[in-house]
Amino acid sequence: VVSSPNSTVQASSFAHVIFQNVAKMYLPNAPLECHYTLTPYIKPHSKDWVGIFKVGWSTARDYYTFLWSPVPDNYVEGTSVNRVLIFQGYYLPNDDGEFYQFCYVSHLGEIRGASTPFQFRAASPTDDLLM
Amino acid sequence: VVSSPNSTVQASSFAHVIFQNVAKMYLPNAPLECHYTLTPYIKPHSKDWVGIFKVGWSTARDYYTFLWSPVPDNYVEGTSVNRVLIFQGYYLPNDDGEFYQFCYVSHLGEIRGASTPFQFRAASPTDDLLM
Amino acid sequence: SGKESPVSANESIASHFALVTAYEDIKKRLKETEKENAVLRRRVRALEERIQRTDREEEKNVVG
Amino acid sequence: SGKESPVSANESIASHFALVTAYEDIKKRLKETEKENAVLRRRVRALEERIQRTDREEEKNVVG
């Protein structure tokens, strides 16, 4: 159960995938676009995936929902690539007041990136969170 | 470096000391009262200590300041005891916008309790955070 | 961030526990503050409308 | 909380990293929301004072 102690090498690898333009709120039951950048430090694999996790998760098995992250067409190793995945509304959490985050998980189960947190909130006319 | 994998037994032990009445703000440079309860699950030791840590700390060595937690007089094993320690203002963080928390650390270096976070903020007449 | 010394599994679990405690409280405070914010915004809007009404009435008085 | 399965050191470090990312952002939002809150409170106070002044003036007008 206890893995090798090379935690310092491991640590930097948590930022090999960078999530972009993550909103604070998403509509439940609507398609959700997830934008991310594969940095040159990651070698994408067809069994890598992006999961939506409730913040405070313990293991990669705690994902709420996930999508495979296909290897980009014409992928050149050592380059940076922007990707988009679209989560369908049906599989997303409801307006439950919880915070979630995207995580990129390698085919070996390693976390290679984590996003800032977001909530699912139904649109409401009394909600005006902008100043 | 890697310890035994009995993480589940360990997990519950993180709440063997409960911090009470922790404020959201403390004045910098003023004595700070730290109230806590030793639950019956902990056997206090004269080299146990309470540290003030910046939230997000990695190891028990990351404490900002600490005080020994003396074994209570007439301590009876298996009972619950309320304790108070007073941190002197001189040793406390300044108004730095950071969040800190108390942690109770056993003489063996194990974390036995962690508090909710607080900040150090100089009193200001424009600050009225109460509704 | 400059600290690169390896951390034991138990310490890692302990620091995670402490961070969860802190995170849960900060999350609660954010929600409370956002709610207060929404209440304050409504109050500002109501007061502004009241002032606009008064201003219009005064104008009428002056003109009339 | 019902999950008691042992978690590897690497997973524990990974989940800690992810929580740090989340915590830092929630902390930032709390600070921003608290600042907005302070601005809104001042705005409410200013508007309330203005209304009180207007009310007093109107009273004078009625009485005088």
Side-chain angles (χ1 to χ4, degrees):
Chain A
V1 171
V2 170
S3 316
S4 64
N6 60 342
S7 56
T8 59
V9 179
Q10 195 75 15
S12 53
S13 75
F14 298 135
H16 284 180
V17 176
I18 314 281
F19 290 93
Q20 312 281 5
N21 307 321
V22 179
K24 289 182 184 180
M25 309 280 173
Y26 290 102
L27 288 171
N29 303 113
L32 191 171
E33 283 191 12
C34 171
H35 295 255
Y36 56 100
T37 302
L38 305 171
T39 68
Y41 304 102
I42 189 167
K43 191 176 174 305
H45 184 282
S46 62
K47 289 290 175 192
D48 292 352
W49 50 282
V50 174
I52 294 179
F53 291 75
K54 194 183 286 187
V55 171
W57 57 271
S58 297
T59 92
R61 294 183 300 281
D62 293 343
Y63 65 88
Y64 186 91
T65 187
F66 81 97
L67 287 174
W68 298 112
S69 173
V71 177
D73 293 338
N74 313 316
Y75 171 71
V76 180
E77 220 173 295
T79 58
S80 204
V81 193
N82 294 323
R83 306 290 290 157
V84 187
L85 287 175
I86 298 173
F87 288 88
Q88 294 307 315
Y90 181 79
Y91 297 100
L92 296 176
N94 289 317
D95 183 343
D96 59 0
E98 296 288 345
F99 285 92
Y100 292 87
Q101 68 187 157
F102 302 117
C103 292
Y104 187 101
V105 187
S106 81
H107 63 294
L108 299 172
E110 305 151 340
I111 306 295
R112 306 299 292 274
S115 79
T116 53
F118 49 85
Q119 288 175 289
F120 292 91
R121 201 176 283 183
S124 146
T126 59
D127 266 10
D128 42 316
L129 289 164
L130 291 166
M131 274 295 261
Chain B
V1 170
V2 170
S3 316
S4 65
N6 60 343
S7 57
T8 59
V9 179
Q10 196 74 15
S12 52
S13 75
F14 297 134
H16 285 180
V17 175
I18 314 283
F19 290 93
Q20 311 282 6
N21 307 321
V22 178
K24 290 183 184 180
M25 309 281 172
Y26 290 103
L27 288 171
N29 304 113
L32 192 170
E33 282 191 13
C34 170
H35 295 255
Y36 56 100
T37 302
L38 304 170
T39 69
Y41 304 101
I42 189 167
K43 190 175 175 304
H45 184 284
S46 62
K47 287 290 174 190
D48 292 354
W49 50 281
V50 173
I52 293 180
F53 291 75
K54 194 184 284 186
V55 171
W57 57 271
S58 298
T59 91
R61 294 183 301 280
D62 293 343
Y63 64 87
Y64 185 92
T65 187
F66 81 97
L67 287 174
W68 298 111
S69 173
V71 176
D73 293 337
N74 313 316
Y75 172 72
V76 180
E77 220 172 298
T79 57
S80 205
V81 192
N82 294 323
R83 305 292 288 158
V84 187
L85 287 176
I86 297 174
F87 288 88
Q88 293 308 313
Y90 181 80
Y91 297 101
L92 297 175
N94 289 317
D95 182 342
D96 60 0
E98 296 288 345
F99 285 93
Y100 292 87
Q101 66 187 158
F102 302 117
C103 292
Y104 187 100
V105 186
S106 82
H107 64 294
L108 299 172
E110 305 151 341
I111 306 293
R112 308 300 293 274
S115 80
T116 53
F118 50 84
Q119 288 175 289
F120 292 91
R121 201 175 282 183
S124 147
T126 59
D127 264 13
D128 43 316
L129 290 163
L130 292 165
M131 276 295 262
Chain C
S1 58
K3 280 169 201 151
E4 298 263 308
S5 66
V7 170
S8 79
N10 273 356
E11 268 197 313
S12 161
I13 294 162
S15 65
H16 190 66
F17 162 80
L19 184 56
V20 167
T21 304
Y23 164 77
E24 289 295 336
D25 192 63
I26 296 289
K27 185 178 81 174
K28 207 183 76 195
R29 285 194 224 174
L30 175 60
K31 286 182 183 178
E32 286 167 1
T33 311
E34 280 178 346
K35 257 182 218 155
E36 281 179 14
N37 224 304
V39 171
L40 286 166
R41 274 171 213 285
R42 274 198 292 275
R43 179 103 183 105
V44 165
R45 209 174 307 137
L47 290 170
E48 281 174 345
E49 279 169 14
R50 192 169 146 186
I51 286 171
Q52 272 178 8
R53 268 200 312 274
T54 317
D55 285 355
R56 271 201 300 273
E57 276 165 29
E58 267 179 22
E59 244 171 76
K60 262 197 291 183
N61 289 348
V62 169
V63 173
Chain D
S1 61
K3 281 169 200 149
E4 299 261 309
S5 67
V7 170
S8 81
N10 274 356
E11 267 197 314
S12 161
I13 294 162
S15 65
H16 190 66
F17 162 81
L19 183 56
V20 167
T21 304
Y23 164 76
E24 290 294 336
D25 193 64
I26 296 289
K27 185 178 81 175
K28 207 183 76 194
R29 286 195 224 173
L30 175 60
K31 285 182 184 180
E32 286 166 0
T33 311
E34 279 178 346
K35 257 182 218 157
E36 281 179 14
N37 228 307
V39 171
L40 285 166
R41 272 171 216 284
R42 274 196 292 275
R43 180 103 184 107
V44 165
R45 210 174 307 137
L47 290 170
E48 281 175 345
E49 279 168 15
R50 193 169 146 187
I51 286 171
Q52 273 179 7
R53 269 200 311 274
T54 317
D55 285 357
R56 270 200 301 273
E57 276 164 30
E58 269 180 22
E59 243 172 75
K60 264 198 288 181
N61 288 348
V62 169
V63 173

